[in-house]
């Protein structure tokens, strides 16, 4: 780790990089290794590896209890969980989603012949703008998927009011929002259901994994059938299902990591506050702030680079990456500019001005258990030096 004193010290100008090791966005947060190994021993002893095993059942109970919801239906990943939730809710035709999200939100619809209709976001929150949602409703609209981007709740009440007014299904992509609250209530029980991702890069991981959480008994029952080929008995199939099951080793990781989440939140919160201090007062860049009145997981440290900043967003990303700070441009350029949506809806961007402005300005910085205040101080020095040498 080297101190950066001036623009001349930047790797992009031929100096050695600030860090010997690469700093990643999405470095996995890990719980107790020995506790995980004990689960592995048990899995070997039991010879029960998949298909609703005891660890998956325990995992579902613990996640449901943590979120205060009736049902957690664990799945192999968040994308399959989205697909199953969408199908179980009977969404069809057109479904309104933000374009400023990970592309899986849109793909989960398109994959099953449903058209994702992109509505603009509120540039202040990066989540769906309810007035933009209203504008996109047509006779073919069957639902809305709100995304709690960066762990910040979508406008839950406003979207529910629109859904009720037009008779639409409402669900949430809560892939970023595990253990976060909205109005003091844990995210997980808003809308008809909410979808979680436990991917390696998420605040809380089970290597790969996902779940749908809901208070709706019937919906949960349908989703359990769907994730297991539609089997309702030993030789009885009552639904055209798929294979969305979580495996035992994933549940083991999830159980161990669940015990560690308060430590991870403490580390993420300390990192976020260190970034806030380091980056305060730098003209042209702004750290997107968390609402401290809510419980946050602080998994994403988001920097917005203003259009009039001394250095363009992409140049700053290149400068950071040259220093081994592997910042990301999530979720650039927006789903509407990715295939097949770019070809299907070439003019979608005309109604997505906030989406495009935000997608062009965001940099996601490394955080998590592998970061600390000393590293963040150097990241801050790199950013300051880069802005001094436009
Ligand atoms: N909805 C939303 C809003 C989502 O953000 C996501 C997933 C989903 C739905 C779908 O859920 P899943 O089906 O994935 O459960 C990553 C993740 O693959 C993806 O899960 C996540 N969103 C998205 C935000 O980030 P990439 O393309 O950026 O992955 P990749 O391979 O570039 O890795 C990101 C960084 O993490 C790298 O710097 C390396 C680091 N990393 C990654 C892995 C896998 C590690 O250090 N260790 C690891 O094991 O998509």
């Amino acid at each position: 780790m080297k101190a950066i004193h001036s623009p001349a010290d930047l790797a992009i100008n031929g100096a050695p990089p600030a860090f010997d090791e690469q700093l990643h966005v999405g470095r996995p947060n890990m719980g107790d290794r020995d506790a995980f190994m004990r689960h592995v021993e048990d899995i070997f002893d039991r010879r029960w590896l998949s298909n609703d095993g005891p660890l998956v059942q325990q995992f579902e109970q613990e996640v449901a209890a943590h979120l205060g919801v009736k049902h957690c239906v664990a799945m192999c990943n968040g994308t399959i969980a989205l697909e199953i939730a969408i199908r179980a809710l009977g969404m069809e035709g057109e479904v309104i989603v933000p374009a400023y999200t990970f592309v899986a939100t849109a793909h989960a619809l398109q994959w099953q012949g449903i058209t994702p209709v992109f509505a603009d976001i509120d540039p202040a929150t990066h989540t769906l703008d309810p007035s933009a949602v209203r504008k996109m409703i047509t006779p073919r609209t069957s639902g809305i998927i709100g995304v709690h981007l960066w762990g910040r709740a979508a406008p839950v009440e406003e979207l529910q009011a629109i859904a009720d007014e037009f008779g639409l299904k409402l669900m949430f992509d809560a892939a970023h929002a595990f253990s976060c609250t909205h109005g003091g209530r844990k995210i997980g029980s808003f809308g008809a259901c909410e979808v979680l991702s436990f991917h390696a890069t998420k605040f809380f991981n089970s290597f790969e994994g996902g779940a749908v959480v809901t208070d709706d008994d019937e919906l949960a029952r349908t989703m359990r059938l769907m994730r297991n080929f539609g089997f309702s008995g030993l030789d009885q199939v009552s639904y055209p299902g798929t294979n969305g099951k979580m495996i035992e080793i994933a549940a083991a990781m999830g159980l161990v990591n669940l015990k560690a989440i308060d430590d991870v939140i403490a580390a993420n919160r300390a990192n976020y506050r260190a970034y806030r201090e380091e980056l305060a007062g730098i003209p042209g860049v702004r750290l997107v702030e968390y609402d401290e009145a809510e419980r946050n997981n602080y998994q994403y440290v988001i920097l917005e680079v203003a259009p009039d900043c001394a250095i363009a967003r992409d140049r700053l990303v290149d400068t950071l990456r040259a220093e081994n700070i592997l910042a990301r441009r999530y979720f650039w350029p927006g789903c509407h500019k990715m295939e097949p949506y770019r070809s299907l809806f070439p003019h979608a961007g005309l109604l997505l001005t906030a989406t495009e402005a935000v997608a062009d300005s965001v940099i996601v910085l490394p955080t998590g258990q592998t970061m600390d205040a000393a590293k963040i101080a150097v990241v801050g020095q790199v950013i300051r030096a880069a802005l001094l040498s436009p």
Side-chain angles (χ1 to χ4, degrees):
M1 214 157 65
K2 90 173 159 61
I4 307 284
H5 302 292
S6 74
D9 298 329
L10 292 172
I12 212 152
N13 295 329
F19 293 94
D20 300 332
E21 45 152 3
Q22 294 186 324
L23 308 185
H24 289 270
V25 169
R27 208 91 183 112
N29 299 315
M30 322 268 275
D32 183 63
R33 185 189 294 240
D34 293 337
F36 176 73
M37 292 307 175
R38 287 195 291 279
H39 280 307
V40 174
E41 296 289 345
D42 290 346
I43 290 171
F44 268 76
D45 291 345
R46 264 196 302 271
R47 286 183 187 260
W48 195 276
L49 307 184
S50 183
N51 291 17
D52 210 18
L55 293 179
V56 168
Q57 290 181 28
Q58 186 186 341
F59 178 75
E60 288 184 334
Q61 282 165 16
E62 292 194 15
V63 168
H66 181 81
L67 300 180
V69 284
K70 257 173 109 174
H71 304 282
C72 167
V73 185
M75 310 259 184
C76 53
N77 60 56
T79 305
I80 294 286
L82 277 169
E83 287 172 14
I84 287 181
I86 288 164
R87 187 175 282 254
L89 282 174
M91 287 183 173
E92 58 187 0
E94 296 175 358
V95 170
I96 298 171
V97 288
Y100 192 58
T101 177
F102 188 60
V103 73
T105 320
H107 280 352
L109 293 161
Q110 183 74 21
W111 187 257
Q112 22 197 0
I114 302 169
T115 304
V117 173
F118 299 119
D120 211 1
I121 54 167
D122 177 342
T125 62
H126 299 186
T127 60
L128 273 178
D129 171 357
S131 65
V133 170
R134 279 183 179 274
K135 288 188 198 135
M136 307 312 282
I137 296 172
T138 75
R140 278 170 50 78
T141 308
S142 67
I144 303 168
I145 304 179
V147 180
H148 305 308
L149 207 80
W150 318 133
R152 295 173 181 80
V156 168
E157 289 75 19
E158 292 91 333
L159 293 179
Q160 189 64 62
I162 295 172
D164 293 345
E165 184 181 336
F166 291 90
L168 306 176
K169 315 272 187 197
L170 174 65
M171 58 176 266
F172 291 99
D173 178 338
H176 296 183
F178 189 79
S179 207
C180 300
T181 60
H182 169 61
R185 177 171 141 196
K186 282 259 175 68
I187 285 173
S189 57
F190 295 106
C193 63
E194 304 211 48
V195 174
L196 304 166
S197 165
F198 311 130
H199 182 259
T201 57
K202 291 293 182 299
F203 157 67
F204 162 61
N205 82 82
S206 63
F207 295 115
E208 285 261 8
V212 189
V213 285
T214 181
D215 286 326
D216 184 328
D217 299 342
E218 187 52 32
L219 188 63
R221 200 188 64 82
T222 305
M223 292 189 297
R224 287 185 189 284
L225 284 177
M226 286 181 166
R227 77 164 176 192
N228 187 28
F229 315 100
F231 273 105
S232 52
L234 202 53
D235 303 311
Q236 195 185 346
V237 172
S238 49
Y239 206 90
T242 184
N243 182 353
K245 290 171 276 125
M246 177 178 271
I247 56 175
E248 286 290 272
I249 196 79
M253 187 66 158
L255 285 166
V256 167
N257 287 343
L258 195 54
K259 291 203 167 49
I261 63 172
D262 286 338
D263 293 342
V264 175
I265 288 180
N268 277 352
R269 192 200 296 115
N271 290 342
Y272 161 70
R273 289 182 180 165
Y275 272 118
R276 206 171 52 185
E277 263 177 42
E278 292 297 335
L279 301 175
I282 305 184
V285 296
R286 181 183 83 91
L287 199 68
V288 176
E289 302 219 349
Y290 282 94
D291 177 357
E292 300 277 3
E294 301 287 359
R295 177 179 163 96
N296 302 298
N297 62 32
Y298 301 94
Q299 177 70 1
Y300 295 96
V301 174
I302 310 297
L303 193 66
E304 282 183 341
V305 182
D308 61 354
C309 181
I311 174 171
R313 188 273 306 264
D314 289 357
R315 242 194 79 222
L316 184 52
V317 170
D318 290 345
T319 305
L320 288 163
R321 293 182 77 90
E323 304 292 345
N324 275 336
I325 305 159
L326 303 188
R328 297 292 297 256
R329 297 182 296 179
Y330 289 143
F331 290 102
W332 185 84
C335 295
H336 65 297
K337 289 193 170 171
M338 298 174 177
E339 293 297 351
Y341 315 109
R342 185 173 55 179
S343 298
L344 290 172
F345 320 117
H347 306 299
L350 293 174
L351 290 176
L352 298 171
T353 46
T355 298
E356 296 198 344
V358 170
D360 285 346
S361 74
V362 159
I363 296 179
V364 184
L365 295 169
T367 186
Q369 289 171 317
T370 56
M371 289 295 290
D372 58 33
K375 290 178 183 171
I376 290 167
V378 175
V379 176
Q381 290 170 23
V382 168
I383 293 174
R384 278 175 196 278
L387 292 179
L388 289 174
S389 60

